[in-house]
Amino acid sequence: SNINLGTPTRSDNCLGLGMPIGRFNNNPVNSTTQFPVGINIVVWTVTDISGNTATCTQTITVVDSQVPVITCPADQTVSFSSSCNYVIPNIIPSVLVNENCTYNITQSPVSGTVATSPSTLITITVTDLSGNSATCNTRITAIDNVGPNIVCKDTLVIAINEYPEIPAHKFITSASDNCSGNNVVITAGRMGNICGTQTPDDFGPYINLCCDD
């Protein structure tokens, strides 16, 4: 931080008193001297014509009140795994930070966290050494792109009555899904309608059969 330090007052019993010279960390100070955040001590020395010297100190306290400015990346879409979960990625490298001092950046949930929710809000927090902080958010949305597993029966033997209704689940041995488990919706459809318009041939929870079958 550039600071106007002013000039110490001085006096002497004789003429020939020199100008005060200020030093910070053993280096002369001037209008371009940079002072870090915190307490800084400038030592001023004045010398008269006889070589006698006197010193005084000046305390420079630099306070950081600037709040960081941060921008999170856009929301992301990922796919559920075969176990119906996904791993939270590391968002930090994609975060834009504008901060004049040293800072710490954190992510919650942290990268590597295994998530199962279809949507996870990630919060990024930037805090500088003076305690000034800012946050931004991005969202991870997961999509289930893994189809269910189904095992059909090779043969289904039934006693046919007039237009019987056979539930769709009667045609399969098992059905499961990576996210829904055994809680799946089972439908069946005819491979062509030979019974006329009275028997639907679209997919539904059951199948109508007729004597022509």
Side-chain angles (χ1 to χ4, degrees), residues 193-208:
N193 189 351
I194 63 174
C195 296
T197 58
Q198 295 183 12
T199 305
D201 59 359
D202 54 351
F203 279 85
Y206 58 87
I207 285 182
N208 290 112

Side-chain angles (χ1 to χ4, degrees), residues 58-123:
Q58 181 182 21
T59 300
I60 307 298
T61 302
V62 179
V63 178
D64 176 21
S65 58
Q66 180 173 324
V67 176
V69 177
I70 63 175
T71 303
C72 279
D75 296 346
Q76 298 183 29
T77 299
V78 299
S79 296
F80 277 115
S81 69
S82 59
S83 300
C84 198
N85 57 37
Y86 56 96
V87 177
I88 298 297
N90 185 10
I91 302 297
I92 290 177
S94 302
V95 177
L96 300 179
V97 181
N98 183 8
E99 167 57 29
N100 60 330
C101 296
T102 303
Y103 61 86
N104 181 52
I105 183 169
T106 60
Q107 172 181 321
S108 178
V110 299
S111 63
T113 299
V114 177
T116 58
S117 172
S119 179
T120 300
L121 186 67
I122 298 177
T123 300

Side-chain angles (χ1 to χ4, degrees), residues 131-175:
N132 303 305
S133 65
T135 62
C136 65
N137 298 304
T138 189
R139 185 174 295 278
I140 302 294
T141 300
I143 298 176
D144 180 14
N145 291 320
V146 180
N149 296 311
I150 184 171
V151 178
C152 291
K153 293 180 179 179
D154 292 333
T155 304
L156 178 63
V157 179
I158 61 170
I160 190 168
N161 295 318
E162 187 177 1
Y163 297 100
E165 292 182 353
I166 303 178
H169 67 83
K170 292 289 187 180
F171 294 92
I172 67 170
T173 300
S174 64

